[in-house]
Amino acid sequence: MAEEEKKKKKKEPRTWSTTKVLDCVAYFAIIFIAIALIFNLAFKSNTPDVAKAFETIGECFAYIVCILLGFYWTMRKRGTGWNKRNMWWLICWIVATVVIVVFYICGTFVL
């Protein structure tokens, strides 16, 4: 009976985590940016729309990874817990993230 309870309490290994998801997104960002650079190098004077699309997708993924890693770094506890100094880090992260998202959306879809 005790062995059955131990088996039930035993944790199963997680198949995914936020770190693994970020690693995957970062991998595809690098792949898309590399493909865009290859197209830009192959067609020096006439950059095809496909290269621009790969570049845009790669940049978007890179921004996502950077924003999420910046959030994790900002939210990590320093010392005994939250204080006023730590809140300024979070406020700066929020402002920078909003600026990046708004300008990226405006620059991608408006122009």
Side-chain angles (χ1 to χ4, degrees):
M1 193 65 124
E3 290 179 24
E4 290 178 18
E5 290 178 17
K6 286 182 182 179
K7 287 181 182 178
K8 289 180 183 178
K9 291 181 180 179
K10 198 174 199 181
K11 291 184 179 180
E12 294 182 21
R14 292 191 332 193
T15 56
W16 69 275
S17 67
T18 53
T19 306
K20 288 182 181 180
V21 172
L22 283 176
D23 292 344
C24 179
V25 172
Y27 174 79
F28 283 107
I30 290 171
I31 296 299
F32 286 134
I33 292 171
I35 291 171
L37 290 173
I38 289 169
F39 277 135
N40 285 336
L41 186 61
F43 306 104
K44 290 181 183 177
S45 59
N46 300 327
T47 305
D49 291 336
V50 175
K52 291 178 184 175
F54 277 113
E55 185 177 354
T56 303
I57 293 169
E59 286 177 358
C60 182
F61 285 165
Y63 285 138
I64 289 170
V65 170
C66 290
I67 287 170
L68 291 175
L69 288 176
F71 177 74
Y72 289 141
W73 184 84
T74 302
M75 293 305 288
R76 126 188 125 176
K77 288 187 177 180
R78 293 171 183 84
T80 59
W82 284 100
N83 57 34
K84 290 181 183 179
R85 188 179 312 175
N86 295 343
M87 290 305 291
W88 284 108
W89 285 102
L90 181 61
I91 291 169
C92 291
W93 177 85
I94 291 170
V95 169
T97 301
V98 169
V99 167
I100 289 170
V101 169
V102 169
F103 284 175
Y104 188 76
I105 290 172
C106 289
T108 302
F109 297 115
V110 174
L111 297 176

mmCIF file with all atom_site columns, all heavy atoms in Angstrom, residues 53-76:
data_model
loop_
_atom_site.group_PDB
_atom_site.id
_atom_site.type_symbol
_atom_site.label_atom_id
_atom_site.label_alt_id
_atom_site.label_comp_id
_atom_site.label_asym_id
_atom_site.label_entity_id
_atom_site.label_seq_id
_atom_site.pdbx_PDB_ins_code
_atom_site.Cartn_x
_atom_site.Cartn_y
_atom_site.Cartn_z
_atom_site.occupancy
_atom_site.B_iso_or_equiv
_atom_site.pdbx_formal_charge
_atom_site.auth_seq_id
_atom_site.auth_comp_id
_atom_site.auth_asym_id
_atom_site.auth_atom_id
_atom_site.pdbx_PDB_model_num
ATOM 1   N N   . ALA A 1 53 ? 9.782  39.110 -45.788 1.00 0.00 ? 53 ALA A N   1
ATOM 2   C CA  . ALA A 1 53 ? 8.860  38.388 -44.909 1.00 0.00 ? 53 ALA A CA  1
ATOM 3   C C   . ALA A 1 53 ? 9.618  37.573 -43.864 1.00 0.00 ? 53 ALA A C   1
ATOM 4   O O   . ALA A 1 53 ? 9.267  37.600 -42.682 1.00 0.00 ? 53 ALA A O   1
ATOM 5   C CB  . ALA A 1 53 ? 7.968  37.462 -45.737 1.00 0.00 ? 53 ALA A CB  1
ATOM 6   N N   . PHE A 1 54 ? 10.670 36.854 -44.290 1.00 0.00 ? 54 PHE A N   1
ATOM 7   C CA  . PHE A 1 54 ? 11.473 36.089 -43.341 1.00 0.00 ? 54 PHE A CA  1
ATOM 8   C C   . PHE A 1 54 ? 12.129 37.018 -42.321 1.00 0.00 ? 54 PHE A C   1
ATOM 9   O O   . PHE A 1 54 ? 12.213 36.700 -41.136 1.00 0.00 ? 54 PHE A O   1
ATOM 10  C CB  . PHE A 1 54 ? 12.541 35.263 -44.062 1.00 0.00 ? 54 PHE A CB  1
ATOM 11  C CG  . PHE A 1 54 ? 12.041 33.953 -44.586 1.00 0.00 ? 54 PHE A CG  1
ATOM 12  C CD1 . PHE A 1 54 ? 11.963 33.727 -45.945 1.00 0.00 ? 54 PHE A CD1 1
ATOM 13  C CD2 . PHE A 1 54 ? 11.653 32.948 -43.722 1.00 0.00 ? 54 PHE A CD2 1
ATOM 14  C CE1 . PHE A 1 54 ? 11.501 32.523 -46.443 1.00 0.00 ? 54 PHE A CE1 1
ATOM 15  C CE2 . PHE A 1 54 ? 11.194 31.735 -44.202 1.00 0.00 ? 54 PHE A CE2 1
ATOM 16  C CZ  . PHE A 1 54 ? 11.114 31.524 -45.575 1.00 0.00 ? 54 PHE A CZ  1
ATOM 17  N N   . GLU A 1 55 ? 12.595 38.170 -42.770 1.00 0.00 ? 55 GLU A N   1
ATOM 18  C CA  . GLU A 1 55 ? 13.234 39.129 -41.876 1.00 0.00 ? 55 GLU A CA  1
ATOM 19  C C   . GLU A 1 55 ? 12.236 39.651 -40.835 1.00 0.00 ? 55 GLU A C   1
ATOM 20  O O   . GLU A 1 55 ? 12.549 39.732 -39.653 1.00 0.00 ? 55 GLU A O   1
ATOM 21  C CB  . GLU A 1 55 ? 13.803 40.289 -42.685 1.00 0.00 ? 55 GLU A CB  1
ATOM 22  C CG  . GLU A 1 55 ? 14.577 41.285 -41.880 1.00 0.00 ? 55 GLU A CG  1
ATOM 23  C CD  . GLU A 1 55 ? 15.181 42.378 -42.742 1.00 0.00 ? 55 GLU A CD  1
ATOM 24  O OE1 . GLU A 1 55 ? 15.086 42.305 -43.978 1.00 0.00 ? 55 GLU A OE1 1
ATOM 25  O OE2 . GLU A 1 55 ? 15.760 43.305 -42.156 1.00 0.00 ? 55 GLU A OE2 1
ATOM 26  N N   . THR A 1 56 ? 11.029 39.961 -41.282 1.00 0.00 ? 56 THR A N   1
ATOM 27  C CA  . THR A 1 56 ? 10.004 40.465 -40.374 1.00 0.00 ? 56 THR A CA  1
ATOM 28  C C   . THR A 1 56 ? 9.617  39.412 -39.334 1.00 0.00 ? 56 THR A C   1
ATOM 29  O O   . THR A 1 56 ? 9.495  39.712 -38.140 1.00 0.00 ? 56 THR A O   1
ATOM 30  C CB  . THR A 1 56 ? 8.755  40.898 -41.165 1.00 0.00 ? 56 THR A CB  1
ATOM 31  O OG1 . THR A 1 56 ? 9.146  41.887 -42.119 1.00 0.00 ? 56 THR A OG1 1
ATOM 32  C CG2 . THR A 1 56 ? 7.699  41.473 -40.252 1.00 0.00 ? 56 THR A CG2 1
ATOM 33  N N   . ILE A 1 57 ? 9.437  38.178 -39.786 1.00 0.00 ? 57 ILE A N   1
ATOM 34  C CA  . ILE A 1 57 ? 9.073  37.102 -38.857 1.00 0.00 ? 57 ILE A CA  1
ATOM 35  C C   . ILE A 1 57 ? 10.200 36.855 -37.857 1.00 0.00 ? 57 ILE A C   1
ATOM 36  O O   . ILE A 1 57 ? 9.964  36.710 -36.652 1.00 0.00 ? 57 ILE A O   1
ATOM 37  C CB  . ILE A 1 57 ? 8.734  35.814 -39.626 1.00 0.00 ? 57 ILE A CB  1
ATOM 38  C CG1 . ILE A 1 57 ? 7.457  36.005 -40.431 1.00 0.00 ? 57 ILE A CG1 1
ATOM 39  C CG2 . ILE A 1 57 ? 8.574  34.634 -38.670 1.00 0.00 ? 57 ILE A CG2 1
ATOM 40  C CD1 . ILE A 1 57 ? 7.179  34.898 -41.418 1.00 0.00 ? 57 ILE A CD1 1
ATOM 41  N N   . GLY A 1 58 ? 11.436 36.817 -38.336 1.00 0.00 ? 58 GLY A N   1
ATOM 42  C CA  . GLY A 1 58 ? 12.575 36.612 -37.447 1.00 0.00 ? 58 GLY A CA  1
ATOM 43  C C   . GLY A 1 58 ? 12.716 37.720 -36.422 1.00 0.00 ? 58 GLY A C   1
ATOM 44  O O   . GLY A 1 58 ? 12.981 37.463 -35.237 1.00 0.00 ? 58 GLY A O   1
ATOM 45  N N   . GLU A 1 59 ? 12.538 38.963 -36.867 1.00 0.00 ? 59 GLU A N   1
ATOM 46  C CA  . GLU A 1 59 ? 12.615 40.086 -35.930 1.00 0.00 ? 59 GLU A CA  1
ATOM 47  C C   . GLU A 1 59 ? 11.511 40.011 -34.889 1.00 0.00 ? 59 GLU A C   1
ATOM 48  O O   . GLU A 1 59 ? 11.738 40.280 -33.711 1.00 0.00 ? 59 GLU A O   1
ATOM 49  C CB  . GLU A 1 59 ? 12.511 41.411 -36.684 1.00 0.00 ? 59 GLU A CB  1
ATOM 50  C CG  . GLU A 1 59 ? 13.739 41.791 -37.452 1.00 0.00 ? 59 GLU A CG  1
ATOM 51  C CD  . GLU A 1 59 ? 13.547 43.079 -38.227 1.00 0.00 ? 59 GLU A CD  1
ATOM 52  O OE1 . GLU A 1 59 ? 12.435 43.655 -38.196 1.00 0.00 ? 59 GLU A OE1 1
ATOM 53  O OE2 . GLU A 1 59 ? 14.512 43.508 -38.881 1.00 0.00 ? 59 GLU A OE2 1
ATOM 54  N N   . CYS A 1 60 ? 10.317 39.651 -35.327 1.00 0.00 ? 60 CYS A N   1
ATOM 55  C CA  . CYS A 1 60 ? 9.186  39.538 -34.396 1.00 0.00 ? 60 CYS A CA  1
ATOM 56  C C   . CYS A 1 60 ? 9.472  38.486 -33.329 1.00 0.00 ? 60 CYS A C   1
ATOM 57  O O   . CYS A 1 60 ? 9.267  38.732 -32.136 1.00 0.00 ? 60 CYS A O   1
ATOM 58  C CB  . CYS A 1 60 ? 7.927  39.200 -35.169 1.00 0.00 ? 60 CYS A CB  1
ATOM 59  S SG  . CYS A 1 60 ? 6.459  39.099 -34.142 1.00 0.00 ? 60 CYS A SG  1
ATOM 60  N N   . PHE A 1 61 ? 9.953  37.318 -33.748 1.00 0.00 ? 61 PHE A N   1
ATOM 61  C CA  . PHE A 1 61 ? 10.300 36.275 -32.783 1.00 0.00 ? 61 PHE A CA  1
ATOM 62  C C   . PHE A 1 61 ? 11.420 36.739 -31.845 1.00 0.00 ? 61 PHE A C   1
ATOM 63  O O   . PHE A 1 61 ? 11.385 36.462 -30.643 1.00 0.00 ? 61 PHE A O   1
ATOM 64  C CB  . PHE A 1 61 ? 10.714 34.993 -33.486 1.00 0.00 ? 61 PHE A CB  1
ATOM 65  C CG  . PHE A 1 61 ? 9.582  34.205 -34.074 1.00 0.00 ? 61 PHE A CG  1
ATOM 66  C CD1 . PHE A 1 61 ? 9.832  33.204 -34.997 1.00 0.00 ? 61 PHE A CD1 1
ATOM 67  C CD2 . PHE A 1 61 ? 8.267  34.440 -33.722 1.00 0.00 ? 61 PHE A CD2 1
ATOM 68  C CE1 . PHE A 1 61 ? 8.800  32.467 -35.538 1.00 0.00 ? 61 PHE A CE1 1
ATOM 69  C CE2 . PHE A 1 61 ? 7.226  33.717 -34.257 1.00 0.00 ? 61 PHE A CE2 1
ATOM 70  C CZ  . PHE A 1 61 ? 7.495  32.717 -35.166 1.00 0.00 ? 61 PHE A CZ  1
ATOM 71  N N   . ALA A 1 62 ? 12.404 37.431 -32.381 1.00 0.00 ? 62 ALA A N   1
ATOM 72  C CA  . ALA A 1 62 ? 13.508 37.921 -31.549 1.00 0.00 ? 62 ALA A CA  1
ATOM 73  C C   . ALA A 1 62 ? 13.008 38.931 -30.512 1.00 0.00 ? 62 ALA A C   1
ATOM 74  O O   . ALA A 1 62 ? 13.432 38.909 -29.352 1.00 0.00 ? 62 ALA A O   1
ATOM 75  C CB  . ALA A 1 62 ? 14.586 38.540 -32.421 1.00 0.00 ? 62 ALA A CB  1
ATOM 76  N N   . TYR A 1 63 ? 12.095 39.810 -30.929 1.00 0.00 ? 63 TYR A N   1
ATOM 77  C CA  . TYR A 1 63 ? 11.515 40.762 -29.979 1.00 0.00 ? 63 TYR A CA  1
ATOM 78  C C   . TYR A 1 63 ? 10.743 40.028 -28.877 1.00 0.00 ? 63 TYR A C   1
ATOM 79  O O   . TYR A 1 63 ? 10.822 40.396 -27.708 1.00 0.00 ? 63 TYR A O   1
ATOM 80  C CB  . TYR A 1 63 ? 10.573 41.748 -30.682 1.00 0.00 ? 63 TYR A CB  1
ATOM 81  C CG  . TYR A 1 63 ? 11.277 42.806 -31.490 1.00 0.00 ? 63 TYR A CG  1
ATOM 82  C CD1 . TYR A 1 63 ? 10.815 43.168 -32.742 1.00 0.00 ? 63 TYR A CD1 1
ATOM 83  C CD2 . TYR A 1 63 ? 12.400 43.459 -30.998 1.00 0.00 ? 63 TYR A CD2 1
ATOM 84  C CE1 . TYR A 1 63 ? 11.441 44.146 -33.489 1.00 0.00 ? 63 TYR A CE1 1
ATOM 85  C CE2 . TYR A 1 63 ? 13.042 44.426 -31.734 1.00 0.00 ? 63 TYR A CE2 1
ATOM 86  C CZ  . TYR A 1 63 ? 12.552 44.779 -32.979 1.00 0.00 ? 63 TYR A CZ  1
ATOM 87  O OH  . TYR A 1 63 ? 13.178 45.741 -33.705 1.00 0.00 ? 63 TYR A OH  1
ATOM 88  N N   . ILE A 1 64 ? 9.989  39.004 -29.252 1.00 0.00 ? 64 ILE A N   1
ATOM 89  C CA  . ILE A 1 64 ? 9.216  38.248 -28.263 1.00 0.00 ? 64 ILE A CA  1
ATOM 90  C C   . ILE A 1 64 ? 10.137 37.617 -27.229 1.00 0.00 ? 64 ILE A C   1
ATOM 91  O O   . ILE A 1 64 ? 9.895  37.697 -26.017 1.00 0.00 ? 64 ILE A O   1
ATOM 92  C CB  . ILE A 1 64 ? 8.347  37.183 -28.959 1.00 0.00 ? 64 ILE A CB  1
ATOM 93  C CG1 . ILE A 1 64 ? 7.210  37.852 -29.728 1.00 0.00 ? 64 ILE A CG1 1
ATOM 94  C CG2 . ILE A 1 64 ? 7.790  36.179 -27.956 1.00 0.00 ? 64 ILE A CG2 1
ATOM 95  C CD1 . ILE A 1 64 ? 6.454  36.918 -30.643 1.00 0.00 ? 64 ILE A CD1 1
ATOM 96  N N   . VAL A 1 65 ? 11.213 36.993 -27.706 1.00 0.00 ? 65 VAL A N   1
ATOM 97  C CA  . VAL A 1 65 ? 12.161 36.358 -26.788 1.00 0.00 ? 65 VAL A CA  1
ATOM 98  C C   . VAL A 1 65 ? 12.780 37.396 -25.858 1.00 0.00 ? 65 VAL A C   1
ATOM 99  O O   . VAL A 1 65 ? 12.846 37.198 -24.642 1.00 0.00 ? 65 VAL A O   1
ATOM 100 C CB  . VAL A 1 65 ? 13.248 35.585 -27.562 1.00 0.00 ? 65 VAL A CB  1
ATOM 101 C CG1 . VAL A 1 65 ? 14.364 35.143 -26.641 1.00 0.00 ? 65 VAL A CG1 1
ATOM 102 C CG2 . VAL A 1 65 ? 12.641 34.387 -28.266 1.00 0.00 ? 65 VAL A CG2 1
ATOM 103 N N   . CYS A 1 66 ? 13.209 38.508 -26.412 1.00 0.00 ? 66 CYS A N   1
ATOM 104 C CA  . CYS A 1 66 ? 13.838 39.550 -25.590 1.00 0.00 ? 66 CYS A CA  1
ATOM 105 C C   . CYS A 1 66 ? 12.867 40.140 -24.572 1.00 0.00 ? 66 CYS A C   1
ATOM 106 O O   . CYS A 1 66 ? 13.236 40.367 -23.417 1.00 0.00 ? 66 CYS A O   1
ATOM 107 C CB  . CYS A 1 66 ? 14.391 40.658 -26.480 1.00 0.00 ? 66 CYS A CB  1
ATOM 108 S SG  . CYS A 1 66 ? 15.822 40.146 -27.430 1.00 0.00 ? 66 CYS A SG  1
ATOM 109 N N   . ILE A 1 67 ? 11.640 40.368 -24.983 1.00 0.00 ? 67 ILE A N   1
ATOM 110 C CA  . ILE A 1 67 ? 10.650 40.926 -24.063 1.00 0.00 ? 67 ILE A CA  1
ATOM 111 C C   . ILE A 1 67 ? 10.369 39.952 -22.913 1.00 0.00 ? 67 ILE A C   1
ATOM 112 O O   . ILE A 1 67 ? 10.339 40.350 -21.744 1.00 0.00 ? 67 ILE A O   1
ATOM 113 C CB  . ILE A 1 67 ? 9.353  41.291 -24.817 1.00 0.00 ? 67 ILE A CB  1
ATOM 114 C CG1 . ILE A 1 67 ? 9.596  42.542 -25.665 1.00 0.00 ? 67 ILE A CG1 1
ATOM 115 C CG2 . ILE A 1 67 ? 8.194  41.500 -23.863 1.00 0.00 ? 67 ILE A CG2 1
ATOM 116 C CD1 . ILE A 1 67 ? 8.476  42.855 -26.627 1.00 0.00 ? 67 ILE A CD1 1
ATOM 117 N N   . LEU A 1 68 ? 10.182 38.682 -23.229 1.00 0.00 ? 68 LEU A N   1
ATOM 118 C CA  . LEU A 1 68 ? 9.883  37.713 -22.175 1.00 0.00 ? 68 LEU A CA  1
ATOM 119 C C   . LEU A 1 68 ? 11.070 37.490 -21.241 1.00 0.00 ? 68 LEU A C   1
ATOM 120 O O   . LEU A 1 68 ? 10.901 37.398 -20.020 1.00 0.00 ? 68 LEU A O   1
ATOM 121 C CB  . LEU A 1 68 ? 9.427  36.389 -22.784 1.00 0.00 ? 68 LEU A CB  1
ATOM 122 C CG  . LEU A 1 68 ? 8.063  36.439 -23.467 1.00 0.00 ? 68 LEU A CG  1
ATOM 123 C CD1 . LEU A 1 68 ? 7.746  35.120 -24.134 1.00 0.00 ? 68 LEU A CD1 1
ATOM 124 C CD2 . LEU A 1 68 ? 6.982  36.812 -22.469 1.00 0.00 ? 68 LEU A CD2 1
ATOM 125 N N   . LEU A 1 69 ? 12.277 37.407 -21.792 1.00 0.00 ? 69 LEU A N   1
ATOM 126 C CA  . LEU A 1 69 ? 13.444 37.253 -20.921 1.00 0.00 ? 69 LEU A CA  1
ATOM 127 C C   . LEU A 1 69 ? 13.669 38.488 -20.061 1.00 0.00 ? 69 LEU A C   1
ATOM 128 O O   . LEU A 1 69 ? 14.070 38.378 -18.900 1.00 0.00 ? 69 LEU A O   1
ATOM 129 C CB  . LEU A 1 69 ? 14.683 36.940 -21.755 1.00 0.00 ? 69 LEU A CB  1
ATOM 130 C CG  . LEU A 1 69 ? 14.719 35.537 -22.363 1.00 0.00 ? 69 LEU A CG  1
ATOM 131 C CD1 . LEU A 1 69 ? 15.943 35.374 -23.251 1.00 0.00 ? 69 LEU A CD1 1
ATOM 132 C CD2 . LEU A 1 69 ? 14.680 34.475 -21.293 1.00 0.00 ? 69 LEU A CD2 1
ATOM 133 N N   . GLY A 1 70 ? 13.394 39.666 -20.615 1.00 0.00 ? 70 GLY A N   1
ATOM 134 C CA  . GLY A 1 70 ? 13.475 40.890 -19.818 1.00 0.00 ? 70 GLY A CA  1
ATOM 135 C C   . GLY A 1 70 ? 12.466 40.895 -18.692 1.00 0.00 ? 70 GLY A C   1
ATOM 136 O O   . GLY A 1 70 ? 12.756 41.346 -17.580 1.00 0.00 ? 70 GLY A O   1
ATOM 137 N N   . PHE A 1 71 ? 11.273 40.357 -18.957 1.00 0.00 ? 71 PHE A N   1
ATOM 138 C CA  . PHE A 1 71 ? 10.253 40.258 -17.908 1.00 0.00 ? 71 PHE A CA  1
ATOM 139 C C   . PHE A 1 71 ? 10.695 39.313 -16.799 1.00 0.00 ? 71 PHE A C   1
ATOM 140 O O   . PHE A 1 71 ? 10.563 39.632 -15.620 1.00 0.00 ? 71 PHE A O   1
ATOM 141 C CB  . PHE A 1 71 ? 8.927  39.783 -18.505 1.00 0.00 ? 71 PHE A CB  1
ATOM 142 C CG  . PHE A 1 71 ? 7.859  39.581 -17.479 1.00 0.00 ? 71 PHE A CG  1
ATOM 143 C CD1 . PHE A 1 71 ? 7.241  40.668 -16.887 1.00 0.00 ? 71 PHE A CD1 1
ATOM 144 C CD2 . PHE A 1 71 ? 7.478  38.313 -17.091 1.00 0.00 ? 71 PHE A CD2 1
ATOM 145 C CE1 . PHE A 1 71 ? 6.257  40.491 -15.929 1.00 0.00 ? 71 PHE A CE1 1
ATOM 146 C CE2 . PHE A 1 71 ? 6.500  38.117 -16.143 1.00 0.00 ? 71 PHE A CE2 1
ATOM 147 C CZ  . PHE A 1 71 ? 5.881  39.217 -15.559 1.00 0.00 ? 71 PHE A CZ  1
ATOM 148 N N   . TYR A 1 72 ? 11.219 38.152 -17.175 1.00 0.00 ? 72 TYR A N   1
ATOM 149 C CA  . TYR A 1 72 ? 11.691 37.206 -16.157 1.00 0.00 ? 72 TYR A CA  1
ATOM 150 C C   . TYR A 1 72 ? 12.800 37.823 -15.314 1.00 0.00 ? 72 TYR A C   1
ATOM 151 O O   . TYR A 1 72 ? 12.846 37.635 -14.109 1.00 0.00 ? 72 TYR A O   1
ATOM 152 C CB  . TYR A 1 72 ? 12.181 35.911 -16.797 1.00 0.00 ? 72 TYR A CB  1
ATOM 153 C CG  . TYR A 1 72 ? 11.082 35.069 -17.368 1.00 0.00 ? 72 TYR A CG  1
ATOM 154 C CD1 . TYR A 1 72 ? 11.249 34.388 -18.557 1.00 0.00 ? 72 TYR A CD1 1
ATOM 155 C CD2 . TYR A 1 72 ? 9.863  34.936 -16.715 1.00 0.00 ? 72 TYR A CD2 1
ATOM 156 C CE1 . TYR A 1 72 ? 10.233 33.613 -19.090 1.00 0.00 ? 72 TYR A CE1 1
ATOM 157 C CE2 . TYR A 1 72 ? 8.843  34.169 -17.242 1.00 0.00 ? 72 TYR A CE2 1
ATOM 158 C CZ  . TYR A 1 72 ? 9.041  33.513 -18.420 1.00 0.00 ? 72 TYR A CZ  1
ATOM 159 O OH  . TYR A 1 72 ? 8.037  32.741 -18.940 1.00 0.00 ? 72 TYR A OH  1
ATOM 160 N N   . TRP A 1 73 ? 13.696 38.547 -15.942 1.00 0.00 ? 73 TRP A N   1
ATOM 161 C CA  . TRP A 1 73 ? 14.789 39.189 -15.201 1.00 0.00 ? 73 TRP A CA  1
ATOM 162 C C   . TRP A 1 73 ? 14.242 40.267 -14.274 1.00 0.00 ? 73 TRP A C   1
ATOM 163 O O   . TRP A 1 73 ? 14.680 40.409 -13.134 1.00 0.00 ? 73 TRP A O   1
ATOM 164 C CB  . TRP A 1 73 ? 15.805 39.787 -16.168 1.00 0.00 ? 73 TRP A CB  1
ATOM 165 C CG  . TRP A 1 73 ? 16.972 40.367 -15.466 1.00 0.00 ? 73 TRP A CG  1
ATOM 166 C CD1 . TRP A 1 73 ? 18.081 39.713 -15.029 1.00 0.00 ? 73 TRP A CD1 1
ATOM 167 C CD2 . TRP A 1 73 ? 17.151 41.745 -15.096 1.00 0.00 ? 73 TRP A CD2 1
ATOM 168 N NE1 . TRP A 1 73 ? 18.936 40.585 -14.417 1.00 0.00 ? 73 TRP A NE1 1
ATOM 169 C CE2 . TRP A 1 73 ? 18.396 41.841 -14.447 1.00 0.00 ? 73 TRP A CE2 1
ATOM 170 C CE3 . TRP A 1 73 ? 16.387 42.886 -15.266 1.00 0.00 ? 73 TRP A CE3 1
ATOM 171 C CZ2 . TRP A 1 73 ? 18.883 43.039 -13.968 1.00 0.00 ? 73 TRP A CZ2 1
ATOM 172 C CZ3 . TRP A 1 73 ? 16.873 44.086 -14.781 1.00 0.00 ? 73 TRP A CZ3 1
ATOM 173 C CH2 . TRP A 1 73 ? 18.115 44.141 -14.135 1.00 0.00 ? 73 TRP A CH2 1
ATOM 174 N N   . THR A 1 74 ? 13.265 41.024 -14.755 1.00 0.00 ? 74 THR A N   1
ATOM 175 C CA  . THR A 1 74 ? 12.681 42.102 -13.957 1.00 0.00 ? 74 THR A CA  1
ATOM 176 C C   . THR A 1 74 ? 11.913 41.567 -12.756 1.00 0.00 ? 74 THR A C   1
ATOM 177 O O   . THR A 1 74 ? 11.975 42.130 -11.669 1.00 0.00 ? 74 THR A O   1
ATOM 178 C CB  . THR A 1 74 ? 11.719 42.944 -14.827 1.00 0.00 ? 74 THR A CB  1
ATOM 179 O OG1 . THR A 1 74 ? 12.444 43.453 -15.934 1.00 0.00 ? 74 THR A OG1 1
ATOM 180 C CG2 . THR A 1 74 ? 11.137 44.088 -14.052 1.00 0.00 ? 74 THR A CG2 1
ATOM 181 N N   . MET A 1 75 ? 11.211 40.466 -12.939 1.00 0.00 ? 75 MET A N   1
ATOM 182 C CA  . MET A 1 75 ? 10.367 39.946 -11.870 1.00 0.00 ? 75 MET A CA  1
ATOM 183 C C   . MET A 1 75 ? 11.120 39.112 -10.838 1.00 0.00 ? 75 MET A C   1
ATOM 184 O O   . MET A 1 75 ? 10.546 38.747 -9.816  1.00 0.00 ? 75 MET A O   1
ATOM 185 C CB  . MET A 1 75 ? 9.232  39.102 -12.465 1.00 0.00 ? 75 MET A CB  1
ATOM 186 C CG  . MET A 1 75 ? 8.250  39.922 -13.274 1.00 0.00 ? 75 MET A CG  1
ATOM 187 S SD  . MET A 1 75 ? 7.544  41.306 -12.370 1.00 0.00 ? 75 MET A SD  1
ATOM 188 C CE  . MET A 1 75 ? 6.466  40.442 -11.249 1.00 0.00 ? 75 MET A CE  1
ATOM 189 N N   . ARG A 1 76 ? 12.372 38.818 -11.099 1.00 0.00 ? 76 ARG A N   1
ATOM 190 C CA  . ARG A 1 76 ? 13.117 38.029 -10.120 1.00 0.00 ? 76 ARG A CA  1
ATOM 191 C C   . ARG A 1 76 ? 13.309 38.867 -8.864  1.00 0.00 ? 76 ARG A C   1
ATOM 192 O O   . ARG A 1 76 ? 13.535 40.076 -8.924  1.00 0.00 ? 76 ARG A O   1
ATOM 193 C CB  . ARG A 1 76 ? 14.426 37.591 -10.756 1.00 0.00 ? 76 ARG A CB  1
ATOM 194 C CG  . ARG A 1 76 ? 15.636 37.933 -10.024 1.00 0.00 ? 76 ARG A CG  1
ATOM 195 C CD  . ARG A 1 76 ? 16.857 37.660 -10.778 1.00 0.00 ? 76 ARG A CD  1
ATOM 196 N NE  . ARG A 1 76 ? 17.533 38.949 -10.773 1.00 0.00 ? 76 ARG A NE  1
ATOM 197 C CZ  . ARG A 1 76 ? 18.691 39.188 -11.250 1.00 0.00 ? 76 ARG A CZ  1
ATOM 198 N NH1 . ARG A 1 76 ? 19.328 38.267 -11.878 1.00 0.00 ? 76 ARG A NH1 1
ATOM 199 N NH2 . ARG A 1 76 ? 19.231 40.373 -11.158 1.00 0.00 ? 76 ARG A NH2 1
#
